[in-house]
Amino acid sequence: MKILCCVKRVPAPGAKINVTADGMDVDAAHLGFTTSPHEECGVEGAIQLKEEHGGEVTVLTLGPGEAEEQLRYAASVGADHGVLIPTDGTAYDPQRTAAAIAAAVTELEAEAPFDLILFGNESADAGGFQVGIRVAHALGRPIVQGIKGIELDGDTVRARREIDGGFEVYELPRPAVLGVKEGLNLPRYPTMKGRLASKKLEVRSLDVAAAAGGQQRVRLHRPEEQVSETVILGEGPEAAAAVVDVLAELGVL
Amino acid sequence: MLLVVLEHDRGELVEAAREALTFGRTLAAKMGEDLEAALIGAADESLVAAAGAYGAATVHTCTHDVLSDYGPDAHGAVVAQMVETLAPDAVLACGSDRGNEVMAHAAARLDAPFVANCIDVTPGAPWSMTRVQWGGSLLEDATLDADVALLSCGLHAVAAEPGDPRDAGAESFAAGLDERHAVTVVRDRVVQEAGVTLPTAPVVVGGGRGVGSEDGFASLEELAELLGGRVGCSRAVTNLGWRPHADQVGQTGTRIAPEIYIASGISGAIQHWVGAMASKHILAINTDREANMVVKADWAVIADLHEVVPAITEEIKRRRIRTS
């Protein structure tokens, strides 16, 4: 069982994101970095499948040299191999990202294809919602997004996708690609042994050329702050009557 | 022509479709072009009429055995074929899970760029748009250089409003699909809960770390049930294992749009806020007057939620008894 999980290095969610003076990128000066949340669950999902069915997990990232940190983190929780596609420091558009990853996967599959490739549903920062789908098409493999449950049944990958009030089930033949979402699992923390092992991870660097696509960034900026006048209804349980008045006014009682 | 892809669930038009048509009306006016719609996997007259009520002049319906249920690849293939046959200047879907997925499949097939989650679009050569990053806590101005502009508008970027009603005509579109497109069609469905759900609830009672424990959510459940609503939670709560991920409101959870969001013991970290900001009204209950959720709310109660939430429940019961 060969599984590939593609991850992205992103500023840690929850922090206030500042933009560089030229507006072309986020100001990383005071930010911590992490693996994009959906993809963190992708790594955990890949490790769980490996534990259940045997095999090996490769983690791939496209990004700056520092993104090696995210590959080592994945190794500390059980990934076997790390692959870095170094970028030139500019923000890649979705088409360029997907073309580079598809070329790298083709190179990595020289001996045998990955049974399963996992992507995050979308990255926490750019949120283009398309890289995994483009890679799947380039490789000629089926893909479904929004996945919160994966089962392997022989050559079939059974995937669960949350919908309003339940879930949909998809059945894809291997080799397949899935776009996974947070909620697939609760990612484990690294063990001391895992941390030590991750230091020894040999990261393979793959230089692949990919042409820019048709979407180009002009600038990043923060939305205008919505200034709202907060009406304080009270400072204790005695505010309940005022709250119910509001609910009545809105017609939700 | 602007082609709007209508999302439906087994023949029921969903709110995302009405949002896309509403956003599309503005865009079509800017383009000086007609608004047309694509209905894939359904051809009901009622849906055609509904699209007309939102300004669609023509609805291109496409039915096929492979389209008997939702399948991202099949739907994406039909959109790509419509682009090739109908030659629209732009195609727009709503940036819901399905909308973005279908557009990405179409874009991959056409080897064309696709810009997801726009909140403002200006046609031109190149097109320019403002789109959502970080779930909405940051915006990106971008340009798009393409033969056809493949776009989605951010979910809840606009409120659905009928307008410019047309007596829409239906045009049947013959798509070339085969069993390869059927590989990713839904095989089965499991309904876990009937009735009101988090994305559609008129009232959401949210709980954060301030709720203190899994059991602490009982009073929130009672209030939500009384109001015909649902309980939501923050990412911190999900990570602590107090609530299932399906209840999570936020960038990596559900984006809610209730009439009122009652946020209890939630500080309002940015990734939670972007999932809650489409709420029509917000009431925050928090001991911290400076919490982001309090600052951004319409109303706030500065108190311990464990005292306030049961008091609200009691007050509602008291009034109902009085009026019955």
Side-chain angles (χ1 to χ4, degrees):
Chain A
M1 181 81 190
K2 279 181 68 180
I3 306 173
L4 174 70
C5 185
C6 297
V7 301
K8 186 177 183 184
R9 173 185 173 86
V10 298
K16 190 168 182 185
I17 308 287
N18 292 313
V19 176
T20 54
D22 67 357
M24 289 310 281
D25 216 335
V26 300
D27 183 356
H30 305 290
L31 288 175
F33 282 83
T34 183
T35 304
S36 196
H38 295 317
E39 289 142 31
E40 205 181 346
C41 296
V43 171
E44 174 65 32
I47 305 299
Q48 286 181 13
L49 287 168
K50 178 180 90 165
E51 286 169 343
E52 198 178 340
H53 302 276
E56 54 182 32
V57 172
T58 302
V59 181
L60 177 148
T61 191
L62 175 142
E66 291 87 354
E68 214 176 276
E69 188 190 337
Q70 278 58 52
L71 299 176
R72 290 194 188 281
Y73 186 85
S76 76
V77 290
D80 304 287
H81 309 289
V83 179
L84 171 72
I85 305 172
T87 56
D88 56 13
T90 59
Y92 277 36
D93 66 86
Q95 282 173 291
R96 189 179 184 191
T97 303
I101 293 172
V105 170
T106 303
E107 201 166 323
L108 293 171
E109 289 187 327
E111 286 162 26
F114 291 103
D115 296 282
L116 185 61
I117 303 178
L118 301 178
F119 283 87
N121 197 69
E122 85 282 352
S123 61
D125 53 356
F129 284 83
Q130 58 194 279
V131 168
I133 292 170
R134 288 185 186 276
V135 172
H137 275 270
L139 299 170
R141 288 174 208 176
I143 178 168
V144 179
Q145 292 265 95
I147 296 305
K148 282 195 181 182
I150 307 171
E151 274 174 41
L152 279 182
D153 185 359
D155 282 339
T156 302
V157 180
R158 196 167 292 116
R160 233 174 46 203
R161 169 173 174 155
E162 201 170 86
I163 49 168
D164 219 5
F167 53 86
E168 290 167 341
V169 180
Y170 294 85
E171 290 180 353
L172 311 185
R174 283 179 5 194
V177 187
L178 296 174
V180 303
K181 269 193 166 180
E182 187 182 75
L184 176 70
N185 48 46
L186 269 180
R188 72 192 69 188
Y189 290 103
T191 58
M192 189 51 77
K193 191 173 155 215
R195 282 183 203 280
L196 291 169
S198 73
K199 289 191 167 67
K200 298 193 188 108
L201 177 79
E202 281 189 30
V203 173
R204 181 172 170 187
S205 186
L206 276 185
D207 276 305
V208 284
Q215 180 187 331
Q216 293 301 319
R217 179 176 298 175
V218 176
R219 70 175 185 127
L220 295 172
H221 54 102
R222 231 202 294 275
E224 276 179 39
E225 282 288 331
Q226 294 170 312
V227 183
S228 66
E229 208 47 57
T230 309
V231 178
I232 307 289
L233 298 174
E235 301 202 357
E238 58 280 3
V243 170
V244 180
D245 288 344
V246 165
L247 299 177
E249 204 175 313
L250 296 177
V252 296
L253 274 190
Chain B
M1 178 257 282
L2 169 65
L3 185 68
V4 172
V5 181
L6 300 179
E7 185 178 334
H8 65 93
D9 188 39
R10 287 160 287 167
E12 288 280 328
L13 211 58
V14 300
E15 191 68 3
R18 291 183 275 268
E19 287 182 14
L21 286 165
T22 305
F23 192 96
R25 272 206 315 275
T26 307
L27 180 55
K30 283 188 192 174
M31 292 162 69
E33 297 279 350
D34 266 343
L35 175 66
E36 300 187 9
L39 187 56
I40 301 166
D44 313 34
E45 277 175 29
S46 62
L47 299 191
V48 172
Y54 280 77
T58 305
V59 180
H60 301 273
T61 60
C62 179
T63 53
H64 190 288
D65 288 350
V66 172
L67 300 170
S68 59
D69 204 334
Y70 175 71
D73 190 31
H75 280 240
V78 174
V79 172
Q81 288 171 27
M82 283 183 173
V83 166
E84 285 162 343
T85 309
L86 306 172
D89 300 285
V91 184
L92 173 77
C94 180
S96 60
D97 283 352
R98 283 187 177 184
N100 278 332
E101 181 175 45
V102 169
M103 291 303 289
H105 274 273
R109 286 183 173 276
L110 294 163
D111 194 20
F114 157 53
V115 187
N117 298 333
C118 300
I119 56 169
D120 187 39
V121 178
T122 305
W127 289 65
S128 55
M129 60 275 300
T130 299
R131 62 178 298 270
V132 166
Q133 283 215 2
W134 288 97
S137 48
L138 212 60
L139 299 175
E140 177 185 25
D141 292 345
T143 58
L144 170 66
D145 187 6
D147 296 333
V148 55
L150 303 178
L151 310 163
S152 71
C153 55
L155 185 67
H156 307 322
V158 292
E161 286 284 344
D164 188 21
R166 303 287 187 90
D167 186 7
E171 297 266 345
S172 175
F173 183 88
L177 296 171
D178 57 40
E179 67 279 0
R180 283 168 309 161
H181 299 101
V183 170
T184 56
V185 169
V186 173
R187 288 275 177 272
D188 193 13
R189 269 190 188 78
V190 177
V191 177
Q192 291 171 302
E193 47 187 339
V196 68
T197 59
L198 200 53
T200 58
V203 177
V204 175
V205 182
R209 199 189 291 269
V211 176
S213 67
E214 187 177 342
D215 296 342
F217 275 87
S219 63
L220 277 65
E221 288 277 5
E222 192 181 2
L223 176 60
E225 197 171 331
L226 208 55
L227 295 168
R230 280 297 309 269
V231 165
C233 69
S234 67
R235 188 165 182 245
V237 165
T238 315
N239 285 341
L240 287 160
W242 296 348
R243 303 287 298 184
H245 192 273
D247 289 354
Q248 187 178 308
V249 172
Q251 187 183 339
T252 50
T254 301
R255 286 158 180 268
I256 57 170
E259 188 61 34
I260 184 162
Y261 180 42
I262 303 173
S264 325
I266 294 183
S267 63
I270 194 78
Q271 79 267 18
H272 181 77
W273 170 250
V274 297
M277 66 186 181
S279 306
K280 293 183 186 66
H281 303 93
I282 295 176
L283 166 75
I285 301 170
N286 207 302
T287 51
D288 177 7
R289 186 182 290 270
E290 302 303 317
N292 192 41
M293 210 71 210
V294 172
V295 172
K296 288 192 156 134
D298 301 290
W299 303 280
V301 179
I302 310 301
D304 181 351
L305 71 98
H306 297 292
E307 293 177 355
V308 181
V309 172
I312 296 168
T313 303
E314 287 314 307
E315 177 66 15
I316 294 168
K317 286 179 179 170
R318 201 178 58 78
R319 292 194 196 187
R320 285 187 183 170
I321 289 166
R322 209 176 52 196
T323 53
S324 62

